[in-house]
Amino acid sequence: MRPVSTTKTKKYQKSTPQPGDLIDNRYLVKEILGEGGIGTVLQVSDQLKNDEQIALKVIRQDVLSQEIRKRFTKEFRLLRLLKHPGVVNCYDFGYCKRHGEYFTMENVEWPTLSSLNDPLPTEDIIRLLYNIANVLSFVHNHQITHFDLKPNNIFVDFKNLSVEDSLDLPLIKIGDFGLAGKRVSKDPGDRFITLDYSAPEMFQTGKVDSRADIFSLAMVGYILLRGASPYTDQSYKPFLSQKLNWLPDQSEWLRPDIPDELTVLLTRCLNSNPAFRPRNASEVISAITRMIPNKVTEYGSLATPPFIGRIGEKRLLGSRLHEVSEGEQWAILLYGEAEAGKSRLIDEFALQQQLQGKIIIRLDGNDLTPLALHLSHLRNLDISNSQYIDAEDVWRLLSNFMKKWQSSNPIIICWHNFDSASQANIRKFKSFLLKHSQFPLFWLLESKENHTELSSLSFSDHLVRHEIPQFE
């Protein structure tokens, strides 16, 4: 009869790795680089690859749970999917008894934006926002939202940021995708949400999408320009009230070198209602590009590849734009099925014209707020605290503005989701074109329907309706 062993199997008490620890008999911990909501990031040397210096992330033991394990694994999968010079590169996933799950990634030697001690010049902030928006566009095109964009998660090449041709280089890398995912319903009590930089909808029950990242991007820019958070009370209830109701006004832009175009853009992006923000990061890129003269970069093109085809449509847009510059107001209704490329065609045409100095205004559905903000900016009026502008006032403001417009340079208004505009606004639009045919305005309307109620505009040579077929 064999004796019963009284020796117990050794159980490991998981702990945070410390310098000198060897993880999985391979990775020697050199130092602790930082700690996030769910993980600790270490600098390690890979013993199997000639002591190559890389980063390794482990789960924080004080927050360990099945939910956190799922988030951690999801972050690794997302980082493996996102291959881009502006996203931290991810390598391998592993597990060891002492420290649990881990994954390895590149060791970014640039400091994070949070390490900045001195104010950046406005030009550098614009370059920075341009780079971040490009990376976000790439990420969003993969149907992923970061949900935790903040200075701690943005690595910056400060040495090259001020170099004139630096936009040809990747100047930033975004890391920590622990909260990232597709459009989701967020729990307003999520303890990992960052107060200052998170969008207001992150604190409410309901759907949250990529426009939350656009808010965070604008808040990064706002705090860099102003030097402080707009939220004065960090206790939860007063903070939440500020978060849901605050918008910057003109008195908050204290630096004299801030372009008006930038204040208008950031004001739109910081609206507490996501419906009033730019629809996507590409819109933000287009607006910022206009602040960087004569600059289109290979790096930027990674996020927005050129739209191939539609030669006939591009010629149509170009010929009508020429007529507008000669003193005729025109509208083109591009209609067709979803996913036919209508929005993409309009966005690319607008970007090309923006680079040539045209003023571009983008509307979405029934929201005319961006039109009012742009016009008030051009007339040096301050209506930035208005979260929604009465439609009657907008059409009156546009009429009065154009009567005093001295330039023949056309203003291009891209109206996406025209189907969602109210019948009242469609009637106002129709009346405006018939009444002010000489204004140099070029309207690009994106729609699923052909809107027969606008037929009188076609008969009076103010509107072209053009169907966009699906690519075969």
Side-chain angles (χ1 to χ4, degrees):
M1 188 173 177
R2 296 180 61 184
V4 177
S5 172
T6 58
T7 304
K8 293 184 178 181
T9 303
K10 183 179 180 180
K11 292 186 177 180
Y12 286 90
Q13 181 67 39
K14 292 185 176 63
S15 61
T16 300
Q18 298 297 317
D21 287 352
L22 189 64
I23 298 175
D24 215 5
N25 293 318
R26 177 174 178 178
Y27 303 106
L28 180 63
V29 180
K30 308 297 285 186
E31 63 174 305
I32 299 174
L33 297 176
E35 196 169 77
I38 67 173
T40 301
V41 180
L42 316 160
Q43 181 182 344
V44 300
S45 59
D46 188 345
Q47 306 293 285
L48 300 184
K49 292 188 177 180
N50 297 320
D51 291 333
E52 178 185 356
Q53 300 299 299
I54 59 175
L56 183 146
K57 186 171 184 176
V58 295
I59 299 176
R60 281 175 43 193
Q61 297 305 306
D62 58 327
V63 298
L64 184 62
S65 67
Q66 282 302 111
E67 177 200 353
I68 295 303
R69 282 195 171 100
K70 289 179 181 178
R71 285 192 184 192
F72 191 78
T73 304
K74 184 177 75 172
E75 179 181 8
F76 170 76
R77 289 173 177 165
L78 292 180
L79 284 172
R80 288 287 292 173
L81 174 67
L82 297 171
K83 295 299 182 183
H84 186 279
V87 176
V88 174
N89 196 16
C90 189
Y91 303 138
D92 296 309
F93 190 92
Y95 175 86
C96 69
K97 289 183 179 179
R98 185 175 177 188
H99 303 300
E101 293 88 346
Y102 68 85
F103 64 79
T104 58
M105 52 192 170
E106 68 174 308
N107 181 33
V108 183
E109 296 184 354
W110 300 336
T112 63
L113 187 55
S114 61
S115 68
L116 187 68
N117 294 318
D118 300 319
L120 284 174
T122 298
E123 288 184 0
D124 289 359
I125 293 174
I126 292 173
R127 289 190 182 95
L128 191 65
L129 295 176
Y130 174 86
N131 270 260
I132 298 171
N134 264 296
V135 179
L136 287 180
S137 181
F138 171 83
V139 172
H140 294 169
N141 285 342
H142 282 74
Q143 308 304 311
I144 295 169
T145 303
H146 191 281
F147 290 128
D148 195 24
L149 188 70
K150 58 186 178 182
N152 278 345
N153 297 334
I154 303 170
F155 299 89
V156 183
D157 181 7
F158 287 109
K159 291 182 179 178
N160 285 310
L161 189 59
S162 298
V163 177
E164 185 175 348
D165 291 330
S166 62
L167 288 180
D168 294 322
L169 305 170
L171 295 173
I172 64 105
K173 285 182 180 289
I174 296 177
D176 196 347
F177 281 70
L179 298 183
K182 298 185 178 181
R183 180 185 303 198
V184 293
S185 296
K186 298 299 290 183
D187 176 2
D190 193 329
R191 66 187 185 278
F192 299 114
I193 291 176
T194 304
L195 295 182
D196 284 339
Y197 294 93
S198 295
E201 60 267 28
M202 296 284 285
F203 299 87
Q204 300 173 300
T205 302
K207 296 290 185 181
V208 184
D209 60 25
S210 60
R211 289 172 294 186
D213 284 350
I214 290 174
F215 179 96
S216 301
L217 168 65
M219 185 57 73
V220 168
Y222 174 88
I223 293 179
L224 284 174
L225 289 165
R226 194 170 181 269
S229 167
Y231 309 118
T232 54
D233 195 330
Q234 293 290 306
S235 52
Y236 191 74
K237 287 187 176 179
F239 165 82
L240 186 58
S241 176
Q242 291 182 68
K243 178 69 91 169
L244 296 177
N245 296 291
W246 172 83
L247 257 183
D249 59 41
Q250 292 298 328
S251 65
E252 296 188 49
W253 306 108
L254 304 177
R255 292 164 61 160
D257 60 338
I258 301 176
D260 290 338
E261 297 92 339
L262 183 58
T263 64
V264 168
L265 174 64
L266 294 182
T267 299
R268 278 192 68 200
C269 295
L270 290 169
N271 200 297
S272 60
N273 187 337
F276 298 158
R277 296 176 206 149
R279 293 179 308 120
N280 50 49
S282 294
E283 271 196 39
V284 179
I285 295 167
S286 297
I288 297 176
T289 301
R290 194 167 173 228
M291 305 173 208
I292 310 172
N294 305 317
K295 199 65 186 173
V296 182
T297 74
E298 291 297 322
Y299 179 53
S301 69
L302 287 168
T304 52
F307 191 32
I308 306 300
R310 302 298 189 201
I311 295 175
E313 285 82 359
K314 292 176 182 177
R315 286 175 178 167
L316 170 64
L317 298 181
S319 65
R320 289 296 181 267
L321 179 60
H322 176 73
E323 293 183 30
V324 173
S325 65
E326 295 292 320
E328 288 186 51
Q329 185 171 190
W330 271 97
I332 294 185
L333 178 73
L334 299 172
Y335 70 95
E337 297 179 12
E339 308 300 329
K342 305 182 298 291
S343 292
R344 182 75 182 276
L345 174 63
I346 289 173
D347 287 342
E348 181 173 297
F349 180 80
L351 176 58
Q352 291 171 347
Q353 298 306 317
Q354 199 164 29
L355 295 173
Q356 297 176 29
K358 303 291 191 300
I359 295 174
I360 308 295
I361 301 174
R362 290 175 172 82
L363 307 179
D364 196 329
N366 202 44
D367 176 25
L368 302 183
T369 309
L371 179 56
L373 286 172
H374 274 271
L375 296 176
S376 64
H377 147 64
L378 293 169
R379 291 185 61 192
N380 295 317
L381 300 175
D382 184 10
I383 60 170
S384 58
N385 277 323
S386 302
Q387 292 194 24
Y388 192 84
I389 314 297
D390 184 77
E392 287 281 344
D393 292 337
V394 175
W395 292 109
R396 192 179 305 114
L397 182 64
L398 179 59
S399 177
N400 293 336
F401 173 82
M402 294 308 300
K403 288 176 182 177
K404 299 177 182 179
W405 184 246
Q406 301 296 317
S407 173
S408 61
N409 193 28
I411 296 175
I412 301 174
I413 302 177
C414 306
W415 198 335
H416 294 276
N417 297 314
F418 186 70
D419 298 310
S420 299
S422 68
Q423 286 301 311
N425 268 330
I426 291 177
R427 285 194 299 270
K428 286 288 184 182
F429 165 74
K430 178 180 174 180
S431 173
F432 183 86
L433 260 72
L434 290 171
K435 191 175 180 180
H436 303 295
S437 60
Q438 78 284 3
F439 288 167
L441 288 170
F442 190 33
W443 301 80
L444 299 177
L445 315 176
E446 180 265 318
S447 168
K448 295 186 182 70
E449 307 296 331
N450 65 359
H451 288 276
T452 55
E453 71 270 29
L454 300 178
S455 295
S456 58
L457 293 178
S458 300
F459 297 144
S460 60
D461 286 338
H462 292 301
L463 173 76
V464 173
R465 282 186 297 214
H466 185 85
E467 184 176 6
I468 302 293
Q470 290 278 6
F471 277 120
E472 295 183 358

